[in-house]
Structures are given as structure tokens and as C-alpha cells.
Amino acid sequence: MKRSRSRIVLGVALLSGGVSTWLWLGQETPATAPPVAQADVKAPTAPVAPTAALAPSVKTPPSLAAAPAPVPGLERPPLMPKELIAQVLEDNKPLGLFMHYHKHVLLDAQGRDEYRKLLSGPEMMKTMADGLKDPGRGEVEPREQYERLMEVDYFKAALAWKDNPQREQLLAHAEDVILQQNIFGGQDTERRYMLAGGKMEMYRLLAEQDMQRALALGERARGTHMEQLTAWMATEEQRRRTQEEQIRLEMQAQARNSATP
């Protein structure tokens, strides 16, 4: 993507197959955004495959390290979302298989059984988690965003199945994604924001299943480069829940007042 996009990181996916709608504004000076990196953290030396994530719009602390200027390269023509998605699903066979079932609203008995095998398959969930933990490299490309959207959707779908026999393993993978130290000061700014955003999405999923387990990640992250980010995510989740509860109470009060003659 062109650097002109770096002031607002936009990741909106409106997919008929059920991929979430994501909108992340990653401006440099808003009231809030995640503490995504420390400048002295070293990048891993081993090569990694590209992935990326998106985050909700929240406040920005001063700990975001400045990103280096991009290296000029060849511009690829923009693709429509469905073309991007088709590319991702063609190249990523496990993800393509998941989305084949996920996009169907009504499945027959055989299709439902196959879908549940994917949602509870240890190898499948590890593949999805590995994709989310992989830091990638360079500037963020749109297809990275779509791929990560669908990887998070896998965990959403797997945890939405209340009787999933591998629920504990899914939650453990979510914790690993959050605690993975894959954000460092030498990365492209958009990438660091998106990786932090992906962690926030997984944190929210974990908190919805077990809030105490999510809060316990703060202790596990202590002394690591994820300590500050994990503490920020806990604060943001509590703030979101408080706001939602306040809205609920206000709506109840308005309903009672409207019903009063």
C-alpha cells in the first residue's frame, strides 16, 4: 500500500461468508491507541511469513516508536475485496476449507459434521494461531488484512460452538497469540498497530469466555515486551464493558419513563 494510507489504517471487510466488519483508525495523535512497541526491542532474525491484524479505535500512548521510511517498490493494481479474498483462499488451503463451510448459513448434517471437525481440530486451530502469531514484515498489504480477519473469524466460530470439545485448547491458543512477542521497534508502523489490534481482538474473545483468565494474562506478561500492551488491553476491555452497562441502564430507564403515564 502507498504510505499516504499510513495515517488511517483501514480494514473493513464486509464479506457474505461471515467475516467480521473491522474498522481500525490508527492515527498518530488520537486520544488513545495501544502501546504497540518499545524502541529497543530487537527484531527476530529468522524469516517469517506475512500476516497482519486490525484493531478497534482507542487512545494512543506515547510509546509507539517511529517507523522507518518505506522502501520504494512496484505498485500492484488495487483489487476488489472479493478478488483479494479469492486469492487468500486459493493460497491458504486450511483457511479456504474453513471459509467453504463458514460462509454457508444452512448446512446439511454431513456438512455440519465436517465443519465441526474443523472447529475442533487441533491441527487446524494451531495453523490459524500460527498465522496470527507470525509478525510478517514490510508494509501491510490488503490481502494480509483479509487473511487475518478470517483467521480471527475461525476462533470466533470455534468458540461460538458452545459444545466444542476443544474449548480449553482454543483458549490456550488465544492466550498464546496475545502473549506472543511479535511486535518490535523496527517494524512498519501500520504492521505494529495491526498486530496489536489482532491481539486486542483475541483478548476480547478470551474475555467473553473467561474474564478472570483474560485478566490473569497480565501476570504472565510481566517482565516481557507484552506487559504494557496486555495491561492496556485489560483496561480497554473493562472500559468497554462499563460503557455498555451504562448504556444498558440508561436505555432501561428511558423505557420505564416512556411507559409511565
Side-chain angles (χ1 to χ4, degrees):
M1 290 192 299
K2 293 182 180 180
R3 176 55 58 177
S4 60
R5 294 184 179 180
S6 65
R7 297 300 167 260
I8 299 181
V9 182
L10 182 62
V12 181
L14 299 175
L15 310 185
S16 60
V19 176
S20 308
T21 301
W22 295 44
L23 176 61
W24 171 38
L25 302 181
Q27 293 132 329
E28 289 188 346
T29 57
T32 79
V36 297
Q38 297 295 332
D40 59 346
V41 182
K42 301 299 183 181
T45 56
V48 288
T51 53
L54 308 167
S57 69
V58 281
K59 288 196 251 175
T60 293
S63 60
L64 177 61
V71 177
L74 295 176
E75 290 284 346
R76 291 187 297 178
L79 297 176
M80 295 299 291
K82 67 178 182 179
E83 294 175 299
L84 282 170
I85 295 163
Q87 283 188 1
V88 171
L89 300 184
E90 175 65 24
D91 296 340
N92 190 327
K93 300 302 182 184
L95 199 57
L97 184 58
F98 160 65
M99 289 303 298
H100 169 75
Y101 291 104
H102 186 58
K103 69 182 180 181
H104 287 89
V105 177
L106 297 176
L107 291 170
D108 57 23
Q110 181 179 353
R112 186 167 56 253
D113 289 344
E114 292 299 321
Y115 186 37
R116 287 178 172 176
K117 287 179 182 178
L118 293 177
L119 297 180
S120 60
E123 184 176 349
M124 183 68 169
M125 63 183 68
K126 182 180 183 302
T127 297
M128 298 295 106
D130 287 347
L132 289 168
K133 289 189 289 186
D134 203 334
R137 57 184 177 271
E139 290 190 25
V140 174
E141 295 291 341
R143 66 173 290 158
E144 284 189 277
Q145 298 175 339
Y146 284 107
E147 186 167 22
R148 183 161 294 259
L149 289 172
M150 290 184 278
E151 287 168 343
V152 172
D153 270 347
Y154 170 83
F155 283 93
K156 288 182 178 179
L159 289 169
W161 176 23
K162 299 301 183 182
D163 296 324
N164 194 323
Q166 297 296 330
R167 178 172 299 274
E168 175 62 29
Q169 190 168 353
L170 285 162
L171 295 177
H173 278 301
E175 291 175 324
D176 289 345
V177 169
I178 295 164
L179 296 175
Q180 180 74 15
Q181 299 188 59
N182 56 359
I183 302 175
F184 43 88
Q187 288 170 314
D188 177 80
T189 300
E190 293 178 12
R191 181 169 300 284
R192 286 182 285 133
Y193 267 119
M194 290 202 302
L195 288 168
K199 290 176 186 291
M200 183 67 198
E201 288 294 319
M202 295 298 280
Y203 189 94
R204 185 159 294 172
L205 278 178
L206 183 63
E208 288 173 355
Q209 301 294 321
D210 189 337
M211 187 61 187
Q212 292 305 312
R213 186 166 181 165
L215 292 174
L217 289 182
E219 185 62 33
R220 291 181 58 187
R222 193 175 303 280
T224 74
H225 295 303
M226 292 298 104
E227 180 178 356
Q228 185 183 4
L229 179 58
T230 303
W232 173 84
M233 289 190 291
T235 300
E236 282 299 312
E237 180 63 18
Q238 294 283 15
R239 180 191 60 80
R240 181 184 70 88
R241 291 186 175 213
T242 299
Q243 287 183 340
E244 288 180 351
E245 178 63 13
Q246 182 179 356
I247 292 171
R248 186 185 69 82
L249 293 175
E250 289 175 354
M251 292 180 66
Q252 285 183 347
Q254 289 175 5
R256 287 194 300 267
N257 292 337
S258 298
T260 302

